[in-house]
Amino acid sequence: MNRICELLDIKYPIIQGGMAWVANAPLAAAVSNAGGLGIIAAGNAPKEVIKNEIDNCRKLTNKTFGVNVMLLSPFADDIIDLVIEEKIQVITTGAGNPAKHMDRLKEAGVKVIPVVPTTALAQRMERFGATAVIAEGTEAGGHIGEVTTMVLIPQISDSVSIPVIAAGGIADGRGIAASFALGAQGAQIGTRFICSDECTAHENYKQLVIKAKDRDAVVTGRVTGHPVRTLKNKLSKEFIKMEAAGATPEELEAKGVGALRLATVDGDKDKGSFMAGQIAAMVKDIKPCEEIVQDLVKKAKEVMPNINL
């Protein structure tokens, strides 16, 4: 049996990305019901908001689901408390190092799967007791590292003994098969699930993904130390101009306040931050999560008949 499936009690080693403002209860439940691991993204939301999402998810599925904790959030410690109180089985973490929380989480039986952009951090997470790591290449949407998925996966797979989940640039079964060939035992997918029936993101968001071309996912905010990949629009162009003109990290961060909500909730094509990966150009339709997952599995098996899914 696939190690990721065994560890997480899921049918397929397909993890839904922890996309802030996008990965809520309806999407997480739908992915879990389809056989993957659905994830509720805590983002910068306070504890009571995520508690409500957890409650709603439990009404929609009896399968395993997880919570993504963004460690840069001012509410990160509260969210850690919440997942322990609610007996969440698994969390993924991003935008930081979860080391200080590891002992408490392990004592509570929570499986911790950090997102890592480097081999050094993957090795450190293994030493602290991570269940697995998500090795995310720079092709991903949202907050990104610098190393590509093609290069990152084999290096991390060779450097740790815990399972590696590939992320960044995976939109179909070919991407999953390629990830497994490089040493991964699972795949995290974000952008493809934006264009699902169950995703509650604004229709404009979904259409921008579907209409995206291969060079439409651009990176802004490198000078802040927290670069972000989004789809080209008026806001991203303004960011690029500000960076070229020498804007400070504080000015850039102020420019981005509320922009993700404007994208996901309001669908503001000009002022919203439409986070998406470079594979956006490969997404051509909107359909149920069940169909997306089945298509992923079918294509992966066609490309690699002996793949351990």
Side-chain angles (χ1 to χ4, degrees):
M1 185 178 183
N2 178 280
R3 285 179 72 190
I4 296 295
C5 294
E6 189 173 8
L7 284 167
L8 305 181
D9 190 26
I10 55 179
K11 187 174 182 181
Y12 304 117
I14 295 171
I15 317 300
Q16 168 234 312
M19 302 167 284
W21 286 96
V22 173
N24 57 10
L27 179 58
V31 173
S32 289
N33 285 333
L37 180 73
I39 297 287
I40 294 169
N44 278 316
K47 183 176 180 179
E48 58 270 19
V49 171
I50 304 307
K51 170 67 165 66
N52 186 58
E53 291 296 331
I54 291 170
D55 290 343
N56 288 338
C57 197
R58 283 177 168 153
K59 293 174 184 175
L60 296 169
T61 186
N62 60 2
K63 307 289 187 182
T64 304
F65 66 90
V67 171
N68 173 263
V69 183
M70 191 178 79
L71 296 165
L72 281 177
S73 168
F75 303 108
D77 289 355
D78 291 342
I79 302 300
I80 295 293
D81 290 342
L82 178 65
V83 300
I84 292 172
E85 292 163 9
E86 291 295 314
K87 295 180 170 55
I88 298 298
Q89 296 179 48
V90 57
I91 66 168
T92 61
T93 66
N97 184 337
K100 73 173 187 177
H101 303 292
M102 282 294 213
D103 287 344
R104 284 187 65 215
L105 289 164
K106 287 168 64 179
E107 287 171 10
V110 181
K111 297 178 176 70
V112 182
I113 306 179
V115 175
V116 297
T118 65
T119 298
L121 186 55
Q123 292 173 325
R124 188 176 182 193
M125 292 299 94
E126 180 176 36
R127 288 197 300 272
F128 277 106
T131 300
V133 290
I134 297 168
E136 184 176 80
T138 193
E139 299 93 325
H143 291 94
I144 57 167
E146 294 293 338
V147 185
T148 66
T149 304
M150 185 82 173
V151 173
L152 190 64
I153 302 307
Q155 292 187 65
I156 290 183
S157 297
D158 288 347
S159 69
V160 297
S161 59
I162 55 176
V164 175
I165 298 164
I170 304 171
D172 63 11
R174 292 174 297 178
I176 294 176
S179 299
F180 275 59
L182 294 171
Q185 296 181 54
Q188 176 176 279
I189 294 171
T191 303
R192 182 62 190 94
F193 284 120
I194 294 171
C195 292
S196 64
D197 289 346
E198 295 88 351
C199 178
T200 60
H202 197 284
E203 183 65 19
N204 288 349
Y205 201 149
K206 299 181 182 184
Q207 290 302 319
L208 283 173
V209 172
I210 287 174
K211 293 174 183 176
K213 301 296 189 295
D214 57 355
R215 296 180 65 191
D216 283 349
V218 297
V219 178
T220 61
R222 291 192 189 278
V223 299
T224 68
H226 304 290
V228 174
R229 190 179 299 283
T230 66
L231 295 178
K232 282 182 184 175
N233 68 347
K234 186 175 180 180
L235 178 66
S236 69
K237 291 175 183 176
E238 289 175 357
F239 262 110
I240 291 169
K241 286 181 181 178
M242 287 175 67
E243 290 182 71
T248 66
E250 291 76 18
E251 289 171 332
L252 291 166
E253 287 171 4
K255 180 72 174 176
V257 171
L260 190 52
R261 186 186 189 283
L262 287 173
T264 55
V265 179
D266 300 337
D268 190 323
K269 293 182 179 180
D270 292 330
K271 298 178 182 178
S273 177
F274 294 88
M275 295 185 182
Q278 288 183 315
I279 58 86
M282 294 173 62
V283 180
K284 303 298 183 185
D285 55 13
I286 300 169
K287 54 190 175 185
C289 288
E290 173 70 28
E291 290 187 26
I292 292 172
V293 170
Q294 289 303 316
D295 286 348
L296 291 167
V297 173
K298 180 181 178 182
K299 187 65 177 181
K301 289 181 176 179
E302 288 176 359
V303 173
M304 186 184 290
N306 294 325
I307 192 169
N308 186 17
L309 291 180

